[in-house]
mmCIF file of all heavy atoms in Angstrom:
data_model
loop_
_atom_site.group_PDB
_atom_site.id
_atom_site.type_symbol
_atom_site.label_atom_id
_atom_site.label_comp_id
_atom_site.label_asym_id
_atom_site.label_seq_id
_atom_site.Cartn_x
_atom_site.Cartn_y
_atom_site.Cartn_z
ATOM 1 N N ASP A 8 168.660 74.489 137.118
ATOM 2 C CA ASP A 8 168.685 73.250 137.887
ATOM 3 C C ASP A 8 169.448 73.375 139.200
ATOM 4 O O ASP A 8 169.672 72.388 139.891
ATOM 5 C CB ASP A 8 169.317 72.118 137.034
ATOM 6 C CG ASP A 8 170.742 72.424 136.629
ATOM 7 O OD1 ASP A 8 171.187 73.571 136.827
ATOM 8 O OD2 ASP A 8 171.437 71.508 136.135
ATOM 9 N N ASP A 17 166.050 83.293 146.800
ATOM 10 C CA ASP A 17 164.688 83.621 147.193
ATOM 11 C C ASP A 17 164.630 84.205 148.605
ATOM 12 O O ASP A 17 163.933 85.159 148.875
ATOM 13 C CB ASP A 17 163.791 82.365 147.125
ATOM 14 C CG ASP A 17 163.475 81.959 145.686
ATOM 15 O OD1 ASP A 17 163.852 82.692 144.762
ATOM 16 O OD2 ASP A 17 162.911 80.872 145.517
ATOM 17 N N SER A 65 151.110 59.068 155.961
ATOM 18 C CA SER A 65 149.638 58.992 156.095
ATOM 19 C C SER A 65 148.906 60.059 155.277
ATOM 20 O O SER A 65 147.669 60.184 155.392
ATOM 21 C CB SER A 65 149.261 59.172 157.593
ATOM 22 O OG SER A 65 149.755 60.426 158.089
ATOM 23 N N ILE A 72 144.929 68.796 149.677
ATOM 24 C CA ILE A 72 144.089 69.831 149.023
ATOM 25 C C ILE A 72 143.459 70.738 150.071
ATOM 26 O O ILE A 72 143.385 71.979 149.890
ATOM 27 C CB ILE A 72 143.008 69.145 148.166
ATOM 28 C CG1 ILE A 72 143.651 68.461 146.964
ATOM 29 C CG2 ILE A 72 141.987 70.164 147.692
ATOM 30 C CD1 ILE A 72 142.724 67.574 146.147
ATOM 31 N N ASN A 90 156.419 66.015 155.507
ATOM 32 C CA ASN A 90 157.642 65.306 155.948
ATOM 33 C C ASN A 90 157.713 63.897 155.342
ATOM 34 O O ASN A 90 156.783 63.080 155.493
ATOM 35 C CB ASN A 90 157.647 65.207 157.484
ATOM 36 C CG ASN A 90 159.019 64.840 157.992
ATOM 37 O OD1 ASN A 90 160.008 65.522 157.772
ATOM 38 N ND2 ASN A 90 159.092 63.704 158.714
ATOM 39 N N GLY A 143 158.493 75.530 141.044
ATOM 40 C CA GLY A 143 159.229 75.598 142.301
ATOM 41 C C GLY A 143 160.707 75.238 142.101
ATOM 42 O O GLY A 143 161.235 75.476 140.999
ATOM 43 N N ASP A 177 191.691 70.929 159.180
ATOM 44 C CA ASP A 177 191.856 69.736 158.336
ATOM 45 C C ASP A 177 191.893 68.489 159.194
ATOM 46 O O ASP A 177 191.290 67.456 158.855
ATOM 47 C CB ASP A 177 193.121 69.843 157.520
ATOM 48 C CG ASP A 177 192.890 70.388 156.129
ATOM 49 O OD1 ASP A 177 191.804 70.145 155.585
ATOM 50 O OD2 ASP A 177 193.769 71.041 155.585
ATOM 51 N N LEU A 192 178.780 69.563 167.200
ATOM 52 C CA LEU A 192 179.028 69.063 168.562
ATOM 53 C C LEU A 192 180.513 68.898 168.808
ATOM 54 O O LEU A 192 180.990 69.243 169.916
ATOM 55 C CB LEU A 192 178.322 67.747 168.745
ATOM 56 C CG LEU A 192 178.535 67.024 170.095
ATOM 57 C CD1 LEU A 192 178.088 67.903 171.244
ATOM 58 C CD2 LEU A 192 177.815 65.676 170.142
ATOM 59 N N VAL A 206 192.222 76.261 169.672
ATOM 60 C CA VAL A 206 192.013 74.813 169.698
ATOM 61 C C VAL A 206 193.187 74.117 169.064
ATOM 62 O O VAL A 206 193.612 74.459 167.967
ATOM 63 C CB VAL A 206 190.702 74.452 168.921
ATOM 64 C CG1 VAL A 206 190.541 72.953 168.833
ATOM 65 C CG2 VAL A 206 189.486 75.075 169.580
ATOM 66 N N ALA A 229 198.007 49.503 163.137
ATOM 67 C CA ALA A 229 198.206 48.535 164.200
ATOM 68 C C ALA A 229 198.597 47.171 163.631
ATOM 69 O O ALA A 229 199.510 46.487 164.122
ATOM 70 C CB ALA A 229 196.957 48.415 165.068
ATOM 71 N N GLY A 287 189.633 60.799 145.114
ATOM 72 C CA GLY A 287 188.335 61.475 145.167
ATOM 73 C C GLY A 287 188.188 62.337 146.412
ATOM 74 O O GLY A 287 187.087 62.502 146.943
ATOM 75 N N THR A 306 203.867 46.636 148.781
ATOM 76 C CA THR A 306 202.853 46.488 147.709
ATOM 77 C C THR A 306 202.240 45.118 147.762
ATOM 78 O O THR A 306 201.022 44.934 147.587
ATOM 79 C CB THR A 306 203.500 46.760 146.351
ATOM 80 O OG1 THR A 306 204.145 48.037 146.344
ATOM 81 C CG2 THR A 306 202.465 46.721 145.237
ATOM 82 N N MET A 341 195.619 39.147 157.995
ATOM 83 C CA MET A 341 196.376 40.301 157.536
ATOM 84 C C MET A 341 197.651 40.479 158.325
ATOM 85 O O MET A 341 198.681 40.855 157.770
ATOM 86 C CB MET A 341 195.470 41.564 157.663
ATOM 87 C CG MET A 341 194.340 41.591 156.644
ATOM 88 S SD MET A 341 193.137 42.895 156.944
ATOM 89 C CE MET A 341 194.083 44.359 156.611
#
Side-chain angles (χ1 to χ4, degrees):
D8 61 349
D17 288 353
S65 58
I72 292 170
N90 195 59
D177 264 329
L192 177 60
V206 175
T306 306
M341 289 170 68

